Amino acid sequence: MSHAGTDRRTVAKSALLGASFLLSGTGAAPAWARAGARGRPRGGQDVTLQLPAPTGPYRTGITTLYLVDRARRDPWDPAVPVREVMVTVFYPARTVRGRPRAPQMTASAARAFAEFVPFAFHQELPKAGVDWAATMTHAHVGAPARAVRCPVVLYSPGGGDARTLGTCTAEELASRGCVVVTIDHPGDASEVEFPGTTAYRDRVVRPTVFTGDPRTDPGIFRTMIEARVADIRFVLDRLALLAAGRAADAAGRPLPEGLGSALDLRRVGVYGHSAGGTAAAQALYEDRRIAAAIDMEGFLDHPPLEPGGAGELFPVARYGVGRPLLLLGTDGFTGRHALEPSWSAVAARSGGCVRRGRLDRAAHAVFTDYAAMAPQLQAAGLMTAAERIGLVGAVGPAAAVRAVRRRVVSFFGRHLPVRGV
């Protein structure tokens, strides 16, 4: 596939659902699936996983938005003439009385997740024995927002991951005074649930289209990051409409009371994991509305065109950036050495605006909700110790979640700043 000007039809044809891959950044494509699933968990009942409660002073509300960019075609499916994006908004609530807690995944999304992710994406996960739809957030559906203008922080998940796997950190930020917008990138994310079907999309839940690791295909990787950066900037455009009191949800659904006026778009941050970290850093470079960003183990260079060659740096690494950027890694990430050239480049060219941090005894997915989930799966006999370490590292769940939350909250607390920190 050519390096520049990737044809969308070619990308779509070469990226059909179904084969194995690892998109979150290791660069290794695992075999399809081990023969057979593990047995039932101890006790014979499907396990319900718990997410740790946020620790900030505010109770949180939650809502979803269906956003449609009619100026862009879908980058993965030429039959879709618009770009559809789904987001979840977490925010400090004025009251949660009478408002139920939201599940981490809806029943339809959880079913799609269970049928695909443990087989083709994260093979460390059990093939059976987990009720993925039963995990609850600590956020309350449609609760009225606090009458305080809050910093706005956007989150882009790892390649192939859905936005739902960033709940732990999003809830923490919201409980400390931020409005947090987690973004799904359809066609890229493992599953994205929309409010309904359309004339050009006959499924409510759209699966990923990838069949391989994008780091092995320069054209697909370029398309993925360009789409994500454009999605982030488009979401900011739509949030500006909400802040101005105008409608943004393409399905016409009402906003929670006071949410639009709670958005302070003079204080915007972006953070992301893996491919989401790449997109967050590049969006910081491209969009002056973004004041600060965190890249959690996202490459800042393209894959090399030839084996053994050097990949082209993204503009953020080639020219540097004049606003705060945190590069946050782990000691257990198998791609950490390949990450180093682009991270060193952006640090050298950014005049002191780049800071680096590392989590020890941790692995790549520690930045996601798997940090809390994997130890529970191991305790239930559904994941081996080696699989848990490979996914999130040996660090304990409380320490892992606390470390990630602390780094993210303190960074945005310095640079936005965030109320309640």
Side-chain angles (χ1 to χ4, degrees):
M1 189 172 294
S2 65
H3 183 58
T6 303
D7 179 80
R8 288 192 175 96
R9 291 182 182 271
T10 302
V11 169
K13 286 176 67 178
S14 66
L16 302 175
L17 174 66
S20 65
F21 57 91
L22 184 57
L23 300 176
S24 292
T26 66
W32 170 244
R34 288 182 293 271
R38 294 188 190 90
R40 305 292 294 180
R42 296 173 188 131
Q45 299 294 319
D46 282 354
V47 168
T48 295
L49 303 174
Q50 306 292 326
L51 298 178
T55 65
Y58 307 122
R59 304 291 291 276
T60 56
I62 187 172
T63 193
T64 61
L65 297 175
Y66 169 50
L67 308 177
V68 178
D69 185 352
R70 302 191 183 282
R72 284 190 295 153
R73 299 188 69 87
D74 187 87
W76 305 112
D77 186 347
V80 179
V82 298
R83 179 58 171 168
E84 301 174 289
V85 179
M86 289 297 300
V87 305
T88 295
V89 185
F90 298 84
Y91 53 92
R94 176 170 54 81
T95 178
V96 297
R97 186 184 301 275
R99 302 288 181 166
R101 287 167 60 188
Q104 181 193 30
M105 303 181 198
T106 66
S108 296
R111 185 163 51 250
F113 175 93
E115 291 173 353
F116 177 70
V117 173
F119 295 92
F121 184 26
H122 283 306
Q123 292 185 35
E124 306 94 334
L125 298 176
K127 312 300 186 287
V130 182
D131 185 351
W132 296 103
T135 300
M136 302 300 292
T137 72
H138 300 86
H140 298 260
V141 178
R146 291 183 73 240
V148 176
R149 292 180 69 80
C150 302
V152 177
V153 183
L154 280 61
Y155 171 68
S156 179
D161 278 339
R163 71 190 192 275
T164 50
L165 293 171
T167 297
C168 286
T169 301
E171 288 193 316
E172 181 70 11
L173 282 165
S175 79
R176 292 178 174 271
C178 280
V179 173
V180 184
V181 183
T182 61
I183 305 171
D184 261 341
H185 304 284
D188 175 337
S190 55
E191 75 284 336
V192 180
E193 182 174 5
F194 295 101
T197 60
T198 69
Y200 44 79
R201 177 179 44 75
D202 60 2
R203 292 176 290 187
V204 171
V205 178
R206 179 177 173 178
T208 186
V209 300
F210 291 135
T211 63
D213 177 5
R215 287 293 296 179
T216 66
D217 188 313
I220 288 180
F221 189 81
R222 181 180 292 272
T223 299
M224 176 176 69
I225 301 304
E226 288 178 350
R228 283 167 168 261
V229 173
D231 288 346
I232 289 169
R233 301 187 68 177
F234 166 64
V235 169
L236 274 175
D237 293 342
R238 285 298 181 264
L239 293 177
L241 293 181
L242 295 183
R246 296 169 59 187
D249 186 89
R253 299 173 299 180
L255 280 179
E257 178 187 343
L259 181 56
S261 59
L263 303 173
D264 185 354
L265 295 176
R266 297 167 301 177
R267 294 182 288 167
V268 174
V270 181
Y271 68 111
H273 173 232
S274 198
T278 307
Q282 184 59 28
L284 176 71
Y285 174 83
E286 293 187 18
D287 199 318
R288 297 292 304 184
R289 293 175 295 180
I290 301 170
I294 303 174
D295 173 1
M296 300 171 173
E297 289 189 332
F299 292 94
L300 296 181
D301 58 0
H302 292 275
L305 291 174
E306 302 294 338
E312 176 191 1
L313 294 173
F314 279 95
V316 65
R318 191 159 67 244
Y319 303 115
V321 68
R323 300 184 302 288
L325 172 63
L326 174 62
L327 305 176
L328 192 55
T330 66
D331 62 343
F333 178 39
T334 58
R336 63 188 180 278
H337 298 301
L339 202 67
E340 185 58 34
S342 65
W343 278 24
S344 294
V346 70
R349 295 174 171 89
S350 297
C353 290
V354 172
R355 293 291 183 267
R356 295 183 64 161
R358 191 181 79 175
L359 276 60
D360 292 329
R361 302 180 67 238
H364 193 56
V366 76
F367 298 111
T368 73
D369 293 348
Y370 291 129
M373 293 171 153
Q376 296 175 60
L377 293 171
Q378 183 186 351
L382 294 171
M383 178 178 282
T384 67
E387 288 169 329
R388 171 206 169 168
I389 290 170
L391 185 63
V392 300
V395 62
V401 172
R402 184 169 58 248
V404 174
R405 284 174 164 178
R406 177 176 58 83
R407 296 293 188 111
V408 174
V409 169
S410 63
F411 177 80
F412 287 128
R414 288 193 304 274
H415 297 298
L416 295 184
V418 179
R419 299 179 187 275
V421 175

